[in-house]
Amino acid sequence: MISFNTTKNIQTFKTTFIIVSRDFKIKNSLNLVKDACDFEKLGKANKFLANINQFLVAPCKDEKQIIFIGFGKEESENLDNLDSYRNALGKTLKKAKELEIKDFCVDAFEFAKFYKNKNDFLKDTVLTLELSNYEFDELKSKKQSAKIENISLLTPEEIEEKDEIIKQGQIIAQAINFSRRLSDLPPNIANPKYIAQSALKQAEKFGITHKILNKSEIEKLKMGGVLAVGSGSVNDPYFVQLEYKSNHPNAKKIALVGKGVTFDTGGVSLKPSNYMKGMKYDMSGAATVISTIVALSQLKPKHDVIAFAPLVENMPSGSSYRQDDIVTHFNGMTSLIENTDAEGRVILADALAYAEQEFNPDYIIDVATLTGACVVALGHFYTGMVSTDEKLAKKLIESGEETGDYVWRLPHKKLYAQALKSDVADVANCGNSAFSAGTITAAMYLKKFIKTQNWAHLDIAGTESGIPVDTYLGKGATGVGIKLLVNFIENLD
Ligand code: BES
Ligand code: ZN
Ligand code: ZN
């Protein structure tokens, strides 16, 4: 973890990074630098136009240095400004690592105008820098880069309770980086037991109420879907339940349900190997909901939140579940297995029904790397959402815009549910291909296992990893959904 401070004066730092947009001439804080170096002359001489990805190392008097990081052009509407700002912070951190500068100041206060208030600016800046600092290199014998120690943020205006705000940013970032590590760990390490034990460790560390069910307890609960999908693996299934209680009189109850397939081979409906690559990330939904509780238990919002995460490995073997099997779920409903690769929904069916019965929530939100179709439809920058609740959908979209965990809503008319009809079971686990719309039909399957309308399904298949461009998140897992859910819960009345 980086240690953060705020400062009113950059002159005391050996190295200062200044993020500048293309109209940098009007930037107030550049006056502070004026005595130290002639930035305009330097800029011209070095063809520095403050474009995205551009930087300029400006040596100054007294062995100090100022490093300009290009922001690009500011948009007149706020559409892309936050992305550009977060990515510029990412570039700042990367440059500092490259130059092995462990202790520096960042001048970015100019961009506070993109946020609702200064607190949000400070919190998100800390959070984004911590996320930029994450690298999954623990299994490499040679570590790649220097570790950043201290960052001071220039905040010329007073920010009340700044220490508390910095801490909040760090709590969320730490939870996200914990989640990213679980996702990035290879499936031979991060199997269901490993994830369950990691959740248990966090629960013990932060005093979170927890239940970790093993296979025989899952059998007792008759979670036929979890057992079926887990049956082909030598690694037994687990079921994690973590609870945050607010003790607030008007608390709403929110259930979070996350798909935890620690590796998805497809099972006997085996995936071709090029489609199997990256299927270690198929537990990201579980990591998201577990980590959200880890963050909430420290942030202490006024609502009660409980996370449910079924954990299995989907493997082909002599003991695997098969196509044509009929599985009986926790709530007594039956699924015809038409494709063992549509396994996420089969485990979520049990978990959703269980969450509703156990907790009687006001809202249920599930998070899952559910369909390749979602990646085709929305790519890597928007999570797909299907929701039967207008208010919930609207609030999640708003939280997405604020946090950068963008959400796009898809339709949910009953017409789509006809894709799941089966002659021999209550529902088929795989939508009739004539209906297309794989993300929506998958969501319609999930919907059959809950009674409440206050439900949202988040398909993170495209957003949990594999971002094709260089952003502040770098390579590997993104930890998508945690910022989103924390923001949603903190802003819920
Ligand atoms: N885990 C996959 C979905 C996925 C695909 C996540 C690509 C991330 C990237 C899921 O279990 C799956 O295999 N879904 C099938 C469903 C189909 C068999 C109905 C799919 O999307 O092809
Ligand atoms: Zn699958
Ligand atoms: Zn899967």
Side-chain angles (χ1 to χ4, degrees):
M1 235 188 20
I2 306 166
S3 125
F4 285 93
N5 275 309
T6 60
T7 178
K8 287 204 166 51
N9 184 2
I10 65 170
Q11 309 288 11
T12 52
F13 294 88
K14 189 166 180 295
T15 304
T16 299
F17 286 86
I18 304 184
I19 302 179
V20 280
S21 60
R22 285 198 58 173
D23 36 27
F24 61 102
K25 285 194 189 96
I26 54 156
K27 191 171 158 44
N28 286 335
S29 57
L30 283 178
N31 292 328
L32 294 169
V33 202
K34 230 170 183 162
D35 317 329
C37 73
D38 188 342
F39 54 90
E40 264 178 77
K41 213 158 124 193
L42 262 168
K44 272 193 195 124
N46 293 282
K47 296 204 172 68
F48 178 73
L49 295 169
N51 289 335
I52 293 177
N53 286 334
Q54 252 194 327
F55 68 94
L56 174 66
V57 183
C60 305
K61 291 191 293 192
D62 313 330
E63 292 183 352
K64 289 198 170 124
Q65 63 181 353
I66 284 169
I67 303 172
F68 294 104
I69 301 282
F71 170 92
K73 196 171 162 356
E74 281 181 39
E75 300 296 325
S76 51
E77 289 179 30
N78 216 356
L79 273 182
D80 298 307
N81 286 332
L82 280 176
D83 294 329
S84 301
Y85 175 56
R86 292 185 182 117
N87 288 337
L89 287 173
K91 286 276 176 311
T92 302
L93 202 103
K94 207 166 162 191
K95 204 81 228 156
K97 278 186 173 177
E98 238 173 76
L99 301 171
E100 295 186 20
I101 305 166
K102 295 180 175 169
D103 192 338
F104 55 90
C105 176
V106 176
D107 172 3
F109 196 73
E110 179 105 353
F111 304 102
K113 65 188 174 206
F114 300 149
Y115 291 84
K116 275 202 292 208
N117 53 51
K118 282 175 284 178
N119 290 1
D120 283 3
F121 161 76
L122 180 59
K123 188 160 94 175
D124 195 48
T125 301
V126 167
L127 166 58
T128 305
L129 286 166
E130 286 281 13
L131 295 184
S132 311
N133 197 30
Y134 170 86
E135 257 174 293
F136 182 69
D137 59 3
E138 65 187 80
L139 298 174
K140 279 191 128 177
S141 323
K142 264 195 187 160
K143 305 292 173 242
Q144 275 156 324
S145 48
K147 288 270 172 275
I148 307 294
E149 288 166 5
N150 294 296
I151 302 180
S152 293
L153 301 167
L154 183 74
T155 53
E157 291 170 34
E158 200 56 58
I159 298 186
E160 279 169 39
E161 296 181 48
K162 59 180 166 37
D163 293 339
E164 181 54 32
I165 289 156
I166 289 173
K167 200 171 144 212
Q168 286 175 10
Q170 284 185 309
I171 288 170
I172 301 169
Q174 255 188 308
I176 296 175
N177 287 341
F178 165 75
S179 171
R180 293 167 88 187
R181 175 175 176 270
L182 284 184
S183 295
D184 279 329
L185 277 169
N188 58 327
I189 295 175
N191 57 33
K193 187 174 183 180
Y194 183 94
I195 308 272
Q197 282 176 343
S198 304
L200 176 63
K201 268 193 212 149
Q202 295 293 305
E204 284 169 348
K205 183 170 169 192
F206 296 109
I208 301 165
T209 311
H210 58 274
K211 248 192 225 172
I212 313 283
L213 308 178
N214 61 22
K215 188 180 167 190
S216 68
E217 291 161 318
I218 296 169
E219 279 167 350
K220 274 188 208 120
L221 286 172
K222 297 199 165 74
M223 291 189 174
V226 177
L227 293 166
V229 178
S231 65
S233 174
V234 293
N235 297 309
D236 278 352
Y238 280 82
F239 192 98
V240 167
Q241 187 174 325
L242 299 185
E243 184 167 7
Y244 162 69
K245 275 204 191 84
S246 70
N247 294 323
H248 198 274
N250 301 323
K252 296 240 165 60
K253 296 204 286 182
I254 301 133
L256 305 175
V257 179
K259 168 176 173 182
V261 177
T262 61
F263 193 68
D264 182 11
T265 63
V268 297
S269 318
L270 195 67
K271 281 183 188 292
S273 48
N274 52 332
Y275 284 92
M276 210 184 289
K277 200 167 171 264
M279 281 302 138
K280 67 171 180 178
Y281 291 118
D282 215 19
M283 37 53 72
S284 299
T288 294
V289 300
I290 290 168
S291 306
T292 299
I293 300 289
V294 170
L296 295 176
S297 69
Q298 300 165 76
L299 297 167
K300 305 200 185 307
K302 64 180 183 197
H303 299 295
D304 295 348
V305 190
I306 185 162
F308 300 90
L311 296 158
V312 295
E313 188 179 39
N314 189 20
M315 296 293 273
S317 80
S319 58
S320 296
Y321 81 138
R322 325 156 185 78
Q323 297 186 192
D324 288 354
D325 277 1
I326 296 179
V327 168
T328 304
H329 292 279
F330 171 77
N331 65 353
M333 276 175 67
T334 54
S335 286
L336 168 67
I337 305 304
E338 289 195 318
N339 190 320
T340 64
D341 195 14
E343 83 300 336
R345 60 195 80 178
V346 177
I347 65 169
L348 289 172
D350 287 327
L352 284 165
Y354 177 74
E356 199 167 42
Q357 184 179 308
E358 271 281 290
F359 192 53
N360 191 24
D362 295 299
Y363 294 105
I364 301 190
I365 303 170
D366 73 78
V367 189
T369 46
L370 208 60
T371 62
C374 194
V375 192
V376 175
L378 296 174
H380 297 279
F381 304 122
Y382 269 80
T383 290
M385 171 171 65
V386 173
S387 176
T388 40
D389 182 312
E390 296 305 311
K391 189 176 138 208
L392 177 60
K394 191 162 168 274
K395 284 194 174 292
L396 284 169
I397 289 169
E398 276 168 15
S399 291
E401 292 303 315
E402 241 176 70
T403 57
D405 278 354
Y406 301 120
V407 174
W408 195 263
R409 191 178 181 189
L410 300 166
H412 62 85
K413 281 218 188 282
K414 270 189 188 152
L415 290 165
Y416 289 102
Q418 297 174 68
L420 302 163
K421 284 214 164 111
S422 163
D423 293 336
V424 288
D426 296 334
V427 63
N429 84 322
C430 188
N432 176 342
S433 62
F435 284 72
S436 297
T439 306
I440 303 170
T441 55
M444 297 314 275
Y445 172 92
L446 298 179
K447 185 173 173 287
K448 290 190 182 290
F449 290 86
I450 45 168
K451 297 187 191 90
T452 178
Q453 292 295 307
N454 304 345
W455 164 69
H457 157 65
L458 299 171
D459 193 331
I460 58 166
T463 45
E464 51 70 34
S465 73
I467 308 295
V469 287
D470 193 16
T471 73
Y472 65 96
L473 290 165
K475 295 196 182 84
T478 62
V480 73
I482 300 164
K483 280 200 269 189
L484 175 81
L485 292 170
V486 167
N487 180 291
F488 162 74
I489 289 157
E490 284 189 326
N491 290 322
L492 191 66
D493 301 330

